[in-house]
Coordinates of all heavy atoms in Angstrom, one line a residue:
N165 N 84.2 85.9 106.9 CA 84.3 86.1 108.3 C 85.7 86.1 108.8 O 86.2 86.9 109.6 CB 83.4 85.2 109.1 CG 83.4 85.3 110.6 OD1 83.0 86.5 110.9 ND2 83.6 84.5 111.3
E166 N 86.5 85.1 108.4 CA 87.8 84.9 108.7 C 88.6 86.2 108.3 O 89.5 86.7 109.0 CB 88.5 83.6 108.2 CG 87.9 82.3 108.8 CD 88.4 81.2 108.1 OE1 89.0 81.2 107.0 OE2 88.2 80.1 108.6
E167 N 88.3 86.7 107.0 CA 89.0 88.0 106.6 C 88.6 89.1 107.5 O 89.7 89.8 107.8 CB 88.6 88.2 105.1 CG 89.1 89.5 104.6 CD 90.6 89.6 104.6 OE1 91.3 88.4 104.5 OE2 91.2 90.7 104.7
R168 N 87.5 89.2 108.0 CA 87.1 90.1 108.9 C 87.9 90.0 110.2 O 88.5 91.1 110.7 CB 85.6 90.2 109.3 CG 85.2 91.2 110.4 CD 83.7 90.8 110.9 NE 83.7 89.5 111.6 CZ 84.1 89.3 112.8 NH1 84.6 90.2 113.6 NH2 84.0 88.1 113.2
I169 N 88.0 89.0 110.7 CA 88.8 88.6 111.9 C 90.2 89.1 111.7 O 90.9 89.8 112.6 CB 88.7 87.2 112.5 CG1 87.4 86.8 112.8 CG2 89.7 86.9 113.5 CD1 87.0 85.4 113.1
R170 N 90.8 88.7 110.5 CA 92.3 88.9 110.3 C 92.4 90.5 110.2 O 93.5 91.0 110.7 CB 92.7 88.4 109.0 CG 93.0 86.9 109.1 CD 93.7 86.4 107.8 NE 92.9 86.3 106.7 CZ 92.2 85.2 106.5 NH1 92.2 84.1 107.1 NH2 91.3 85.2 105.3
R171 N 91.4 91.3 109.6 CA 91.5 92.7 109.3 C 91.5 93.4 110.7 O 92.3 94.2 111.0 CB 90.3 93.1 108.5 CG 90.4 94.6 108.3 CD 89.3 94.9 107.2 NE 88.1 94.6 107.6 CZ 87.4 93.7 107.1 NH1 87.8 92.7 106.2 NH2 86.1 93.5 107.6
E172 N 90.7 93.0 111.6 CA 90.5 93.5 112.8 C 91.8 93.2 113.7 O 92.3 94.1 114.5 CB 89.3 93.0 113.7 CG 88.0 93.5 112.9 CD 86.7 93.0 113.7 OE1 86.8 92.2 114.5 OE2 85.6 93.5 113.1
L173 N 92.3 91.9 113.8 CA 93.5 91.7 114.4 C 94.7 92.5 113.9 O 95.6 93.0 114.7 CB 93.8 90.2 114.2 CG 92.8 89.2 115.1 CD1 93.1 87.7 114.8 CD2 92.9 89.4 116.6
A174 N 94.7 92.6 112.6 CA 95.9 93.5 112.1 C 95.7 94.9 112.6 O 96.7 95.5 112.9 CB 95.8 93.4 110.4
Q175 N 94.6 95.5 112.6 CA 94.5 96.7 113.1 C 94.8 96.9 114.6 O 95.5 97.7 115.0 CB 92.9 97.2 113.0 CG 92.5 97.4 111.6 CD 91.0 97.6 111.4 OE1 90.2 97.5 112.3 NE2 90.6 98.0 110.2
M176 N 94.4 95.8 115.5 CA 94.8 95.9 116.8 C 96.3 95.7 117.0 O 96.9 96.4 117.8 CB 94.0 94.7 117.5 CG 92.5 95.0 117.7 SD 91.8 93.7 118.7 CE 91.8 92.4 117.7
Q177 N 96.9 94.9 116.1 CA 98.4 94.6 116.3 C 99.1 96.0 116.0 O 100.1 96.3 116.5 CB 98.8 93.5 115.3 CG 100.2 93.1 115.4 CD 100.6 92.6 116.8 OE1 99.9 91.8 117.3 NE2 101.6 93.2 117.5
A178 N 98.6 96.6 114.9 CA 99.2 97.9 114.5 C 99.2 98.9 115.7 O 100.2 99.6 115.9 CB 98.5 98.5 113.2
K179 N 98.0 98.9 116.3 CA 97.8 99.9 117.5 C 98.9 99.5 118.7 O 99.5 100.2 119.3 CB 96.5 99.9 117.9 CG 95.5 100.6 117.0 CD 94.0 100.5 117.5 CE 93.1 101.2 116.5 NZ 91.8 101.1 117.0
L180 N 98.9 98.1 118.8 CA 99.8 97.6 119.9 C 101.3 97.9 119.6 O 102.0 98.3 120.4 CB 99.6 96.1 120.2 CG 100.4 95.4 121.2 CD1 100.0 96.0 122.6 CD2 100.0 94.0 121.2
D181 N 101.6 97.7 118.3 CA 103.0 98.0 117.9 C 103.4 99.4 118.0 O 104.5 99.9 118.6 CB 103.3 97.5 116.5 CG 103.3 96.0 116.2 OD1 103.3 95.4 117.3 OD2 103.0 95.6 115.1
A182 N 102.5 100.3 117.8 CA 102.7 101.7 117.9 C 102.7 102.1 119.4 O 103.6 102.9 119.7 CB 101.6 102.6 117.3
L183 N 102.0 101.4 120.3 CA 102.2 101.8 121.6 C 103.4 101.2 122.2 O 104.0 101.9 123.0 CB 100.9 100.9 122.3 CG 100.9 101.1 123.8 CD1 100.7 102.5 124.3 CD2 99.7 100.3 124.4
R184 N 103.8 100.0 121.8 CA 105.2 99.5 122.2 C 106.3 100.5 121.9 O 107.2 100.8 122.6 CB 105.4 98.2 121.7 CG 104.5 97.1 122.2 CD 105.0 95.7 121.8 NE 104.0 94.7 122.0 CZ 104.0 94.1 123.3 NH1 104.9 94.3 124.2 NH2 103.1 93.1 123.5
R185 N 106.3 100.9 120.5 CA 107.2 101.9 120.1 C 107.3 103.3 120.9 O 108.4 103.7 121.3 CB 107.1 102.2 118.8 CG 107.5 101.1 117.7 CD 107.6 101.6 116.3 NE 106.3 102.1 115.7 CZ 105.4 101.4 115.1 NH1 105.5 100.0 115.0 NH2 104.3 102.0 114.8
E186 N 106.1 103.6 121.3 CA 105.9 104.8 122.0 C 106.5 104.7 123.5 O 107.2 105.6 124.0 CB 104.5 105.4 122.1 CG 104.3 106.6 122.9 CD 102.8 106.9 122.8 OE1 102.2 106.9 121.7 OE2 102.3 107.4 123.8
L187 N 106.2 103.5 124.1 CA 106.8 103.2 125.4 C 108.3 103.1 125.3 O 108.9 103.5 126.3 CB 106.1 102.0 125.9 CG 104.6 102.0 126.3 CD1 104.1 100.5 126.7 CD2 104.3 103.0 127.4
E188 N 108.8 102.6 124.3 CA 110.3 102.5 124.2 C 110.9 103.7 124.1 O 112.0 104.1 124.7 CB 110.6 101.5 123.0 CG 110.2 100.1 123.2 CD 110.4 99.3 121.9 OE1 110.8 99.9 121.0 OE2 110.2 98.1 121.9
D189 N 110.3 104.6 123.3 CA 110.8 106.1 123.1 C 110.7 106.8 124.4 O 111.6 107.5 124.8 CB 109.9 106.8 122.0 CG 110.1 106.2 120.7 OD1 111.1 105.6 120.5 OD2 109.3 106.5 119.9
N190 N 109.6 106.7 125.2 CA 109.6 107.2 126.5 C 110.5 106.7 127.4 O 111.2 107.5 128.2 CB 108.2 107.1 127.1 CG 107.0 107.9 126.4 OD1 107.3 108.9 125.8 ND2 105.7 107.4 126.4
S191 N 110.8 105.4 127.5 CA 111.9 104.8 128.3 C 113.1 105.3 127.9 O 114.0 105.6 128.8 CB 111.8 103.4 128.1 OG 112.8 102.7 129.1
D192 N 113.5 105.5 126.6 CA 114.8 106.0 126.1 C 115.0 107.5 126.6 O 116.2 107.8 127.2 CB 114.9 106.0 124.7 CG 115.1 104.5 124.1 OD1 115.3 103.6 124.9 OD2 114.6 104.3 122.9

């Protein structure tokens, strides 16, 4: 169960990181 949580959190973090990079590119 903890591995499932880590896997889902990693997926969400990857999406959040991609969103932050995209916002930074738009801002630039």
Side-chain angles (χ1 to χ4, degrees):
N165 186 54
E166 291 175 347
E167 175 58 28
R168 175 192 63 81
I169 294 173
R170 282 192 291 269
R171 185 172 60 252
E172 292 179 355
L173 287 176
Q175 292 171 348
M176 288 186 289
Q177 186 62 53
K179 292 179 179 179
L180 184 59
D181 290 343
L183 176 61
R184 290 185 188 278
R185 288 193 297 270
E186 184 178 315
L187 291 176
E188 291 172 357
D189 291 343
N190 288 338
S191 180
D192 291 341

